[in-house]
PDB file of all heavy atoms in Angstrom:
ATOM      1  N   LEU A1270      -4.834  19.804 -11.197  1.00 98.00           N
ATOM      2  CA  LEU A1270      -4.268  18.463 -10.998  1.00 98.00           C
ATOM      3  C   LEU A1270      -5.388  17.598 -10.338  1.00 98.00           C
ATOM      4  O   LEU A1270      -5.839  17.923  -9.264  1.00 98.00           O
ATOM      5  CB  LEU A1270      -3.016  18.450 -10.226  1.00 98.00           C
ATOM      6  CG  LEU A1270      -1.853  19.254 -10.881  1.00 98.00           C
ATOM      7  CD1 LEU A1270      -0.690  19.288  -9.907  1.00 98.00           C
ATOM      8  CD2 LEU A1270      -1.490  18.673 -12.201  1.00 98.00           C
ATOM      9  N   LYS A1271      -5.756  16.492 -10.984  1.00 98.00           N
ATOM     10  CA  LYS A1271      -6.938  15.719 -10.596  1.00 98.00           C
ATOM     11  C   LYS A1271      -6.772  14.947  -9.327  1.00 98.00           C
ATOM     12  O   LYS A1271      -7.716  14.715  -8.571  1.00 98.00           O
ATOM     13  CB  LYS A1271      -7.301  14.747 -11.714  1.00 98.00           C
ATOM     14  CG  LYS A1271      -7.836  15.470 -12.953  1.00 98.00           C
ATOM     15  CD  LYS A1271      -8.166  14.484 -14.015  1.00 98.00           C
ATOM     16  CE  LYS A1271      -8.802  15.142 -15.210  1.00 98.00           C
ATOM     17  NZ  LYS A1271      -8.019  16.017 -15.972  1.00 98.00           N
ATOM     18  N   ARG A1272      -5.538  14.573  -8.965  1.00 98.00           N
ATOM     19  CA  ARG A1272      -5.292  13.710  -7.770  1.00 98.00           C
ATOM     20  C   ARG A1272      -4.738  14.538  -6.541  1.00 98.00           C
ATOM     21  O   ARG A1272      -4.585  13.999  -5.490  1.00 98.00           O
ATOM     22  CB  ARG A1272      -4.309  12.588  -8.102  1.00 98.00           C
ATOM     23  CG  ARG A1272      -4.794  11.695  -9.179  1.00 98.00           C
ATOM     24  CD  ARG A1272      -3.677  10.892  -9.807  1.00 98.00           C
ATOM     25  NE  ARG A1272      -4.132  10.133 -10.938  1.00 98.00           N
ATOM     26  CZ  ARG A1272      -4.247  10.630 -12.201  1.00 98.00           C
ATOM     27  NH1 ARG A1272      -3.925  11.872 -12.454  1.00 98.00           N
ATOM     28  NH2 ARG A1272      -4.680   9.809 -13.182  1.00 98.00           N
ATOM     29  N   LEU A1273      -4.462  15.804  -6.746  1.00 98.00           N
ATOM     30  CA  LEU A1273      -3.921  16.720  -5.743  1.00 98.00           C
ATOM     31  C   LEU A1273      -4.882  16.777  -4.570  1.00 98.00           C
ATOM     32  O   LEU A1273      -6.089  17.081  -4.700  1.00 98.00           O
ATOM     33  CB  LEU A1273      -3.682  18.052  -6.282  1.00 98.00           C
ATOM     34  CG  LEU A1273      -2.997  19.062  -5.449  1.00 98.00           C
ATOM     35  CD1 LEU A1273      -1.559  18.674  -5.074  1.00 98.00           C
ATOM     36  CD2 LEU A1273      -3.071  20.454  -6.056  1.00 98.00           C
ATOM     37  N   LYS A1274      -4.406  16.557  -3.343  1.00 98.00           N
ATOM     38  CA  LYS A1274      -5.218  16.607  -2.108  1.00 98.00           C
ATOM     39  C   LYS A1274      -5.118  17.917  -1.374  1.00 98.00           C
ATOM     40  O   LYS A1274      -6.045  18.279  -0.620  1.00 98.00           O
ATOM     41  CB  LYS A1274      -4.859  15.482  -1.151  1.00 98.00           C
ATOM     42  CG  LYS A1274      -5.075  14.092  -1.754  1.00 98.00           C
ATOM     43  CD  LYS A1274      -6.584  13.945  -2.010  1.00 98.00           C
ATOM     44  CE  LYS A1274      -6.825  12.552  -2.584  1.00 98.00           C
ATOM     45  NZ  LYS A1274      -8.223  12.386  -2.912  1.00 98.00           N
ATOM     46  N   GLY A1275      -3.973  18.632  -1.541  1.00 97.00           N
ATOM     47  CA  GLY A1275      -3.823  19.875  -0.784  1.00 97.00           C
ATOM     48  C   GLY A1275      -2.713  20.731  -1.481  1.00 97.00           C
ATOM     49  O   GLY A1275      -1.844  20.115  -2.113  1.00 97.00           O
ATOM     50  N   TYR A1276      -2.834  22.033  -1.270  1.00 98.00           N
ATOM     51  CA  TYR A1276      -1.882  22.940  -1.934  1.00 98.00           C
ATOM     52  C   TYR A1276      -1.770  24.206  -1.093  1.00 98.00           C
ATOM     53  O   TYR A1276      -2.779  24.848  -0.754  1.00 98.00           O
ATOM     54  CB  TYR A1276      -2.380  23.302  -3.323  1.00 98.00           C
ATOM     55  CG  TYR A1276      -1.573  24.178  -4.166  1.00 98.00           C
ATOM     56  CD1 TYR A1276      -0.178  24.173  -4.167  1.00 98.00           C
ATOM     57  CD2 TYR A1276      -2.145  25.050  -5.096  1.00 98.00           C
ATOM     58  CE1 TYR A1276       0.569  24.968  -4.995  1.00 98.00           C
ATOM     59  CE2 TYR A1276      -1.386  25.875  -5.925  1.00 98.00           C
ATOM     60  CZ  TYR A1276      -0.007  25.850  -5.858  1.00 98.00           C
ATOM     61  OH  TYR A1276       0.699  26.601  -6.674  1.00 98.00           O
ATOM     62  N   ARG A1277      -0.553  24.507  -0.698  1.00 97.00           N
ATOM     63  CA  ARG A1277      -0.284  25.762   0.085  1.00 97.00           C
ATOM     64  C   ARG A1277       0.864  26.432  -0.546  1.00 97.00           C
ATOM     65  O   ARG A1277       1.860  25.814  -0.928  1.00 97.00           O
ATOM     66  CB  ARG A1277       0.076  25.428   1.549  1.00 97.00           C
ATOM     67  CG  ARG A1277      -1.108  24.928   2.321  1.00 97.00           C
ATOM     68  CD  ARG A1277      -0.899  25.096   3.789  1.00 97.00           C
ATOM     69  NE  ARG A1277      -2.155  24.740   4.428  1.00 97.00           N
ATOM     70  CZ  ARG A1277      -2.330  23.650   5.224  1.00 97.00           C
ATOM     71  NH1 ARG A1277      -1.354  22.835   5.497  1.00 97.00           N
ATOM     72  NH2 ARG A1277      -3.451  23.458   5.799  1.00 97.00           N
ATOM     73  N   MET A1278       0.780  27.803  -0.632  1.00 97.00           N
ATOM     74  CA  MET A1278       1.871  28.576  -1.177  1.00 97.00           C
ATOM     75  C   MET A1278       2.380  29.514  -0.079  1.00 97.00           C
ATOM     76  O   MET A1278       1.564  30.039   0.673  1.00 97.00           O
ATOM     77  CB  MET A1278       1.334  29.428  -2.391  1.00 97.00           C
ATOM     78  CG  MET A1278       0.723  28.552  -3.463  1.00 97.00           C
ATOM     79  SD  MET A1278      -0.173  29.558  -4.636  1.00 97.00           S
ATOM     80  CE  MET A1278       1.040  29.960  -5.769  1.00 97.00           C
ATOM     81  N   ASN A1279       3.684  29.690  -0.023  1.00 97.00           N
ATOM     82  CA  ASN A1279       4.308  30.532   1.020  1.00 97.00           C
ATOM     83  C   ASN A1279       5.249  31.429   0.377  1.00 97.00           C
ATOM     84  O   ASN A1279       6.282  31.001  -0.205  1.00 97.00           O
ATOM     85  CB  ASN A1279       5.087  29.591   2.020  1.00 97.00           C
ATOM     86  CG  ASN A1279       4.176  28.463   2.504  1.00 97.00           C
ATOM     87  OD1 ASN A1279       3.292  28.661   3.271  1.00 97.00           O
ATOM     88  ND2 ASN A1279       4.463  27.284   2.007  1.00 97.00           N
ATOM     89  N   VAL A1280       4.998  32.746   0.429  1.00 94.00           N
ATOM     90  CA  VAL A1280       5.865  33.743  -0.213  1.00 94.00           C
ATOM     91  C   VAL A1280       6.720  34.426   0.870  1.00 94.00           C
ATOM     92  O   VAL A1280       6.091  34.888   1.899  1.00 94.00           O
ATOM     93  CB  VAL A1280       5.007  34.800  -1.018  1.00 94.00           C
ATOM     94  CG1 VAL A1280       5.910  35.818  -1.657  1.00 94.00           C
ATOM     95  CG2 VAL A1280       4.167  34.102  -2.089  1.00 94.00           C
ATOM     96  N   CYS A1281       7.987  34.520   0.633  1.00 90.00           N
ATOM     97  CA  CYS A1281       8.914  35.121   1.612  1.00 90.00           C
ATOM     98  C   CYS A1281       8.498  36.625   1.870  1.00 90.00           C
ATOM     99  O   CYS A1281       8.168  37.324   0.904  1.00 90.00           O
ATOM    100  CB  CYS A1281      10.330  35.064   1.149  1.00 90.00           C
ATOM    101  SG  CYS A1281      10.961  33.395   1.147  1.00 90.00           S
ATOM    102  N   ILE A1282       8.604  37.041   3.094  1.00 82.00           N
ATOM    103  CA  ILE A1282       8.451  38.426   3.449  1.00 82.00           C
ATOM    104  C   ILE A1282       9.880  38.918   3.703  1.00 82.00           C
ATOM    105  O   ILE A1282      10.575  38.618   4.722  1.00 82.00           O
ATOM    106  CB  ILE A1282       7.619  38.548   4.768  1.00 82.00           C
ATOM    107  CG1 ILE A1282       6.227  37.909   4.546  1.00 82.00           C
ATOM    108  CG2 ILE A1282       7.521  40.003   5.191  1.00 82.00           C
ATOM    109  CD1 ILE A1282       5.476  37.813   5.829  1.00 82.00           C
TER     110      ILE A1282
END
Side-chain angles (χ1 to χ4, degrees):
L1270 298 175
K1271 292 178 174 69
R1272 297 161 189 85
L1273 184 68
K1274 296 298 179 183
Y1276 182 34
R1277 290 199 172 114
M1278 303 167 89
N1279 309 287
V1280 180
C1281 291
I1282 303 171

